[in-house]
């Protein structure tokens, strides 16, 4: 039986030694997200030989697993995960299944999985230079917003450091109040994850920027690496009353993310129409499909 261990802040080096060298661009695999959202996902991991298995807990469907990371044959691990699922009355569920992973599964397990796309969880992945330079006709509206912001406001843009955290939390609380989101469960959960991330800012190797006008925060954002060429933006808030603040913080942060990161993952839209429209307006290089693969047969090999 595979023994899983809850992810702690001390597991960062171990887990990222598997995830960072991988080709996976799923925002859920950023260690900062695995740790900060653990109160909802019950994130856990297990080492099986030279392979790492990450497990999350779906609020209604039970345990879900990412395919193993590392070197070795994953088939024996998948078989054992199926046995474990069956023992507790679940069907084996693999999450974050991309088209490439689905192709591999279909070759090894033909007609053995049901595949369900989750469009609301697709990740929006952009070329970093596109967001930084905003070149071309497609980005003309964004350039206009950014240029107006630069011309209208005498702002400062600084790296987000622990000294900014209390003011950022106050800004976020005010933002929620202005948008009547104080009673929204999704926003409350987001704030809990935000607070956890801020509490472990340096341990999680987070980086971000904060924009001030007249000494007051008008926007902040932060993120962390997902793999060696993809950087995840985990959080972004701006004062919508300041014209161009969202476009400006997006462009300025893209300009400060290290050049080794060719891609920026701005995460999913959760099916929120306004958020979907905003993310599409930046013309993603890739909408990263996410599919749940659920084993059809509950009877595992014993």
């Amino acid at each position: 039986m595979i023994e899983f261990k809850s992810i702690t802040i001390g597991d960062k080096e171990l887990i990222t030694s598997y995830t960072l060298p991988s080709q996976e661009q799923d925002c859920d695999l950023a260690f900062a997200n695995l740790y900060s959202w653990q109160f909802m996902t019950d994130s856990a991991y297990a080492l099986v030989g030279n392979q790492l298995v990450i497990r999350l807990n779906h609020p209604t469907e039970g345990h879900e697993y990412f395919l193993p990371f590392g070197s070795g044959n994953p088939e024996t691990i998948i078989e054992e995960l199926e046995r474990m699922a069956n023992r507790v009355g679940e069907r084996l569920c693999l999450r974050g299944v991309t088209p490439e992973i689905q192709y591999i599964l279909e070759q090894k397990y033909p007609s053995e999985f049901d595949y369900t796309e989750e469009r609301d969880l697709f990740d929006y992945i952009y070329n970093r230079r596109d967001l930084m330079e905003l070149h071309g006709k497609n980005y003309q509206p964004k350039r206009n917003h950014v240029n107006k912001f630069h011309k209208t406001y005498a702002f400062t843009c600084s790296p987000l450091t622990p000294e900014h955290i209390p003011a950022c939390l106050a800004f976020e609380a005010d933002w929620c109040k202005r948008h009547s989101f104080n009673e929204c469960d999704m926003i409350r959960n987001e704030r809990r994850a935000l607070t956890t991330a801020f509490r472990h800012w340096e341990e999680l190797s987070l980086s971000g920027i904060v924009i001030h006008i007249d000494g007051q925060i008008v926007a902040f954002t932060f993120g962390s690496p997902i793999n060696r060429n993809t950087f995840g933006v985990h959080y972004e808030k701006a004062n919508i009353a300041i014209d161009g603040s969202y476009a400006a913080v997006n462009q300025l942060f893209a300009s400060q993310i290290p050049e080794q990161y060719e891609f920026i993952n701005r995460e999913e839209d959760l099916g929120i129409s306004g958020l979907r429209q905003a993310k599409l307006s930046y013309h993603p290089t890739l909408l990263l499909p996410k599919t749940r693969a659920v084993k059809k047969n509950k009877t595992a090999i014993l």
Side-chain angles (χ1 to χ4, degrees), residues 245-256:
S245 57
Y246 269 107
V249 73
N250 187 335
Q251 188 270 335
L252 288 166
F253 193 34
S255 301
Q256 297 190 27

Side-chain angles (χ1 to χ4, degrees), residues 129-201:
R129 286 200 166 273
D130 286 344
L131 298 188
M132 178 178 71
E133 297 172 352
L134 300 177
H135 282 169
K137 184 164 58 174
N138 283 339
Y139 290 103
Q140 182 66 54
K142 303 300 181 186
R143 286 201 306 277
N144 292 343
H145 282 299
V146 170
N147 290 338
K148 183 177 181 180
F149 182 86
H150 280 257
K151 290 177 182 177
T152 304
Y153 303 106
F155 69 91
T156 61
C157 177
S158 310
L160 201 166
T161 64
E163 290 73 24
H164 294 118
I165 287 175
C168 286
L169 286 172
F171 175 83
E172 190 269 350
D174 183 65
W175 185 94
C176 291
K177 183 178 179 180
R178 286 171 181 263
H179 292 79
S180 301
F181 282 153
N182 284 333
E183 300 305 317
C184 174
D185 286 340
M186 182 179 70
I187 295 298
R188 280 200 290 256
N189 289 334
E190 186 180 65
R191 182 175 179 82
R192 184 172 174 181
L194 171 68
T195 303
T196 299
F198 274 156
R199 188 181 300 123
H200 299 280
W201 181 263

Side-chain angles (χ1 to χ4, degrees), residues 73-251:
N73 185 348
E75 292 182 50
T76 56
I77 295 177
I78 291 173
E79 290 176 1
E80 179 57 27
L81 293 176
E82 185 180 8
R83 293 188 187 99
M84 292 171 60
N86 294 163
R87 290 185 191 116
V88 294
E90 297 177 354
R91 289 194 293 165
L92 172 65
C93 178
L94 303 176
R95 66 173 286 147
V97 175
T98 61
E100 293 78 14
I101 293 174
Q102 183 172 336
Y103 176 80
I104 293 171
L105 288 174
E106 288 175 338
Q107 299 306 304
K108 293 185 176 181
Y109 306 99
S111 303
E112 293 186 33
F113 282 92
D114 288 320
Y115 298 94
T116 304
E117 280 193 347
E118 299 180 298
R119 172 62 181 85
D120 294 351
L121 301 182
F122 282 19
D123 284 353
Y124 289 76
I125 298 177
Y126 306 84
N127 184 288
R128 182 182 62 84
R129 286 200 166 273
D130 286 344
L131 298 188
M132 178 178 71
E133 297 172 352
L134 300 177
H135 282 169
K137 184 164 58 174
N138 283 339
Y139 290 103
Q140 182 66 54
K142 303 300 181 186
R143 286 201 306 277
N144 292 343
H145 282 299
V146 170
N147 290 338
K148 183 177 181 180
F149 182 86
H150 280 257
K151 290 177 182 177
T152 304
Y153 303 106
F155 69 91
T156 61
C157 177
S158 310
L160 201 166
T161 64
E163 290 73 24
H164 294 118
I165 287 175
C168 286
L169 286 172
F171 175 83
E172 190 269 350
D174 183 65
W175 185 94
C176 291
K177 183 178 179 180
R178 286 171 181 263
H179 292 79
S180 301
F181 282 153
N182 284 333
E183 300 305 317
C184 174
D185 286 340
M186 182 179 70
I187 295 298
R188 280 200 290 256
N189 289 334
E190 186 180 65
R191 182 175 179 82
R192 184 172 174 181
L194 171 68
T195 303
T196 299
F198 274 156
R199 188 181 300 123
H200 299 280
W201 181 263
E202 293 177 337
E203 297 158 290
L204 291 173
S205 302
L206 293 163
S207 61
I209 60 170
V210 58
I211 298 176
H212 290 85
I213 296 176
D214 296 330
Q216 300 296 313
I217 292 178
V218 298
F220 73 91
T221 184
F222 66 80
S224 68
I226 298 173
N227 66 22
R228 288 175 177 166
N229 72 356
T230 305
F231 190 94
V233 175
H234 308 320
Y235 202 87
E236 180 183 274
K237 282 288 182 288
N239 185 346
I240 198 170
I242 305 296
D243 191 19
S245 57
Y246 269 107
V249 73
N250 187 335
Q251 188 270 335

Side-chain angles (χ1 to χ4, degrees), residues 27-47:
C27 69
D28 295 329
L29 292 168
F31 184 82
N33 280 338
L34 288 171
Y35 183 74
S36 298
W37 287 91
Q38 189 182 54
F39 68 96
M40 284 194 68
T41 64
D42 193 26
S43 56
Y45 76 96
L47 285 178

Side-chain angles (χ1 to χ4, degrees), residues 56-64 89-91 93 118 292 294:
L56 303 183
N57 196 31
H58 191 279
T60 60
E61 302 298 329
H63 294 117
E64 302 178 321
E90 297 177 354
R91 289 194 293 165
C93 178
E118 299 180 298
R292 298 176 77 244
V294 180

